[in-house]
């Protein structure tokens, strides 16, 4: 039986080629995702733990675990005396105080170098020989003067800096220019990928990031012959109150766990899209075996007639699918290794170190198992259907096409699934709750399954709707294409189903993405009436009220900070106060006052958003007791209530005069600074504001367009990644169309020859095949787009409870592009089958057999 199956595979290798290619694509996707995930995890772990091997024990404030300073009544961090005392503990070879914080480096044009929140500054701590073991200098040396710095090699190369150049560096304390004393290489613990690392002298780093004479932690190295566990015990016995210690190995494990979170998430997303691609490939495989078994009905019946049992014939066919899957899986695994290398290039930071690909036995086993079992599962139903035909009937004629019947059990079951799925999704959308998205997800799965099962029934009415357009363009060829499409509705439905799955996901993502982008745009810019918003260029910087102070001296410029202060209870309700300049805020933010007056801010009163005042029962003129977590007490009076979106990025829930916030909080965090210039936004006013802020590369000065691009740009980038991942499913769906048409050409060999004999030229035959492909693509694209829009609406409804102002947006352009791509893909898929059909030999096809 195995030899028979092998001969059959070799005999039908051309017909099985696209099936094998679809399996190979799916296995490539899933194996590439798994290899990429394992490789990224190992690379992230190696980078995060690099450097901890030289640390025997680290000493830190109790609640910081080696991070920044501990909050409390006493001075932050570890003092210099403690570091000196630790150096004298038996078994300690050296004790090095470390301090770090946010530091952003500007290029020669004043723009920020690097990306992400990884802009870091640290102290250069030379030992007895004048070197710091954490840094290896390639040019120059570490800073020895307070007006000097050193840069990591990647940052210096990006900025085009050489030793001796002047470099502008911004920190939470402002911006200053320094002389570049050296360029160095370092390990991953010091500079995360994508960012920058700037070294200062001890005194400068302490002044900028902590406090003079204090360190964030102390790293200890062990003397030769000293065990780490023994050293940890000695150090712990010598620690002052308020400090703790851990070994470098313990800290490395913590960092390794933190480092793999992002790569794990991306790997899971990739595996999810790989599963979609494999699910799409299932329809192609099932369709191929349905057509193959149908064409081999007499051959299989003859095997039964000469003594083979149903089980043996079934075993032959399943072995064929097993061989196809095994060969395609092996090829897919090899291609997946290359795909993983490509993914690593696409998603890795531009300065990430090269790391080897990781191919684990689990990945190999999973890829081969999935790629081998999937064809067998997909082929089971057509094989079972073929085995139900008696040998005598099969020897008489090939199995006729089985049209979908509206009264069949399958039709009723699929209709019930579709109605149940749509009902569940609608219920979850209209009755939002904690589990509404789970209900919608289950409903989506049921609806998609039911719709796929009903596609054969939809093929005939869809073709009837499209037929007038086809016949208007090409009367004869359009009529033939329409009739051929509905000749076997189940085959048509299975082919269109693969395309429908991909378009459902793509259109659903488009609806959610467009709705979210519109919401973010409104939430960000609707209330913004100023010319500019000053905010940190990247995460990591902490703005303070002093940041906005230089703007007060600009002639004609109005500005106001947004000083956020937390830890309040107003009238027993937890609250956040945002301090603003009462004299200017009314012209910088749009306040829709519904009760009272915003002018009351100048009188020391507060203004409250309606979503905050309503549930608490607050009203204008009411005096509320104020309590602070640090023990401060007082009272505030409400002077205005204004209408606001709870998710607004700018309009606060409670607006207070900055003098009131300063009374209770000496160091509020400034979320941004609103700026209005006399001449409006423009290059001149932008330069004036930037210079007033000290040309600080850590600060971004954004106009309305810049705010919109920054807040909604991530959504567009994520959607583009998802669309790229869905392209694999679209490619497999296109293969399904090509496969169906190619097999159809084989089945209709005599028919096509007869058409040629009756006068249809080669171009006419090609045109007929292209129109059939358009009908298949149009059916799948229409159904998928309709389902995607519905699911996008349902999921969007669940956001309206928690995201006020969220509304459905139908991105007609993106939806149209999706349908167009599906149709173009269908046309491209028809090129080879149409060419083959056009070359049909008339004499051979019409010969009497």
């Amino acid at each position: 039986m195995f030899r028979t199956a092998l001969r059959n595979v070799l005999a039908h290798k051309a017909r099985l080629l696209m099936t094998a290619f679809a399996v190979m694509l799916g296995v490539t996707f899933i194996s590439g995702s798994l290899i990429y995930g394992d490789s990224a995890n190992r690379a992230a772990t190696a980078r995060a733990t690099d450097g901890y091997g030289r640390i025997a024990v680290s000493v830190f404030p109790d609640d910081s675990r080696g991070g920044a300073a501990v909050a409390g009544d006493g001075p932050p961090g570890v003092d210099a005396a403690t570091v000196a005392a630790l150096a004298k503990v038996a078994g300690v070879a050296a004790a090095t105080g470390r301090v770090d914080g946010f530091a952003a480096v500007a290029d020669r044009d004043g723009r920020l170098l690097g990306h992400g929140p990884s802009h870091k500054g640290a102290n250069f701590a030379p030992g007895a020989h004048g070197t710091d073991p954490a840094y290896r200098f390639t040019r120059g040396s570490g800073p020895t003067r307070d007006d000097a710095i050193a840069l990591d090699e990647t940052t210096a190369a990006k900025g085009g800096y050489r030793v001796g150049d002047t470099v502008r560096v911004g920190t939470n304390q402002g911006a200053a220019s320094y002389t570049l004393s050296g360029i160095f290489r370092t390990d991953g613990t010091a500079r995360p990928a994508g960012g920058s690392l700037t070294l200062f002298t001890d005194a400068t780093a302490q002044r900028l990031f902590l406090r003079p004479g204090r360190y964030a932690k102390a790293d200890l190295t062990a003397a030769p012959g000293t065990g780490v566990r023994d050293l940890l015990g000695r150090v712990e016995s010598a620690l002052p109150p308020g400090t703790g210690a851990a070994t470098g190995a313990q800290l490395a494990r913590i960092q390794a766990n933190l480092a793999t979170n992002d790569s794990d998430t991306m790997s899971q997303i990739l595996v999810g899209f790989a599963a979609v691609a494999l699910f799409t490939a299932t329809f192609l495989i099932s369709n191929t075996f349905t057509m193959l078994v149908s064409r081999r009905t007499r051959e299989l019946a003859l095997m039964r007639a000469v003594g083979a049992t149903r089980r043996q014939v079934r075993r032959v066919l399943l072995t064929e699918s097993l061989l196809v899957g095994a060969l395609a899986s092996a090829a897919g695994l090899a291609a997946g290794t290359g795909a993983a290398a490509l993914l690593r290039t696409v998603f890795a930071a531009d300065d990430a170190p090269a790391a080897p690909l990781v191919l684990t036995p689990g990945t190999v086993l999973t890829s081969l198992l999935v790629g081998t079992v999937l064809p067998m599962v997909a082929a089971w139903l057509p094989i079972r259907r073929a085995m139900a035909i008696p040998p005598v009937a099969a020897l008489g004629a090939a199995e006729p096409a089985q049209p979908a019947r509206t009264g069949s059990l399958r039709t009723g079951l699929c209709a019930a699934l579709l109605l149940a799925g749509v009902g569940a999704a609608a219920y979850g959308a209209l009755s939002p709750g904690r589990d509404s998205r789970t209900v919608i997800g289950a409903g989506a799965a049921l609806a998609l399954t039911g719709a796929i099962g009903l596609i054969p029934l939809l093929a005939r009415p869809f073709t009837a709707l499209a037929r007038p357009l086809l016949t208007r363009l090409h009367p004869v060829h359009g009529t033939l294409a329409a009739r051929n499409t509905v000749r076997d509705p189940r085959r048509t439905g299975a082919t269109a189903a693969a395309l429908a799955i991909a378009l459902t996901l793509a259109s659903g993502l488009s609806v959610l993405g467009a709705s979210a982008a519109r919401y973010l745009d409104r939430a960000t810019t609707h209330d913004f009436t100023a010319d500019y918003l000053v905010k940190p260029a990247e995460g990591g910087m902490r703005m303070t009220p002093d940041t906005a102070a230089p703007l007060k001296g600009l002639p004609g410029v109005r500005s106001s900070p947004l000083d956020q202060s937390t830890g309040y209870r107003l009238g027993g309700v937890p609250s956040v106060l945002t301090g603003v300049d009462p004299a200017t805020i009314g012209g910088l933010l749009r306040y829709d006052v519904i009760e009272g007056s915003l002018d009351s801010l100048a009188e020391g009163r507060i203004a409250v958003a309606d979503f905050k005042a309503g549930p608490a029962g607050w009203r204008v003129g009411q005096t509320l007791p104020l309590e602070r977590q640090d023990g401060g007490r007082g009272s505030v009076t409400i002077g205005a209530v204004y209408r606001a979106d709870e998710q607004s990025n700018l309009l606060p829930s409670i607006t207070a005069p900055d003098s009131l916030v300063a009374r209770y909080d000496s160091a509020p965090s400034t979320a941004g600074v609103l700026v209005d210039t006399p001449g409006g936004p423009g290059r001149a006013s932008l330069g004036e504001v930037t210079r007033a802020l000290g040309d600080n590369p850590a600060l971004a000065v954004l106009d309305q367009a810049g705010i919109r691009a920054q807040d909604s740009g991530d959504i567009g980038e994520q959607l583009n990644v998802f669309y790229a991942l869905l392209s694999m499913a679209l490619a497999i769906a296109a293969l399904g169309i090509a496969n169906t048409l190619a097999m159809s050409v084989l089945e209709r060999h005599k028919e096509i020859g007869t058409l040629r004999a009756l006068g249809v030229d080669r171009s006419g035959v090609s045109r007929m095949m292209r129109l059939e492909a358009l009908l298949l693509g149009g059916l799948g694209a229409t159904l998928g787009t309709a389902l995607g829009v519905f699911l996008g609406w349902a999921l969007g409804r669940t956001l309206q409870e928690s995201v006020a102002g969220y509304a459905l947006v139908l991105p007609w352009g993106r939806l149209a592009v999706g349908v167009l791509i599906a149709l173009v893909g269908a046309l491209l898929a028809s090129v080879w089958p149409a060419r083959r059909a056009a070359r049909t030999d008339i004499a051979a096809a019409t010969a009497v057999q």
Side-chain angles (χ1 to χ4, degrees), residues 44 99 115 125 220 307 381 386 411 423 468 533 655 682 801 808 836:
V99 58
H115 57 83
L220 312 181
L381 185 60
T411 301
L533 171 66
T655 305
E801 286 291 313
L808 176 69
R836 184 170 185 177

Side-chain angles (χ1 to χ4, degrees), residues 336-405:
T337 305
L342 179 62
L343 287 171
R344 185 180 59 181
T345 302
V346 170
F347 293 117
D350 53 5
D351 56 348
L357 293 176
V358 178
L359 182 62
T360 64
T363 297
V364 175
L365 182 62
T366 300
S367 302
L368 295 179
L369 188 62
V370 168
T372 303
V373 172
L374 180 65
M376 297 178 65
V377 173
W380 173 259
L381 185 60
I383 292 172
R384 183 174 179 272
R385 190 183 299 135
M387 293 300 97
I389 302 175
V392 175
L395 285 170
E399 181 188 5
Q402 300 181 11
R405 300 186 299 275

Side-chain angles (χ1 to χ4, degrees), residues 31 63 111 146 268 328 350 446 640 746 754 793 812:
S31 61
D63 61 350
R111 295 187 298 265
D146 290 345
Q268 290 167 6
D350 53 5
L446 292 176
L746 292 174
T754 303
W793 164 81
W812 296 109

Side-chain angles (χ1 to χ4, degrees), residues 1 5 309-320 383:
M1 288 299 160
T309 64
R310 288 187 178 182
R311 177 178 297 180
Q312 287 175 317
V313 176
R314 186 184 299 115
R315 192 180 303 158
V316 168
L317 295 174
L318 288 176
T319 303
E320 290 179 23
I383 292 172

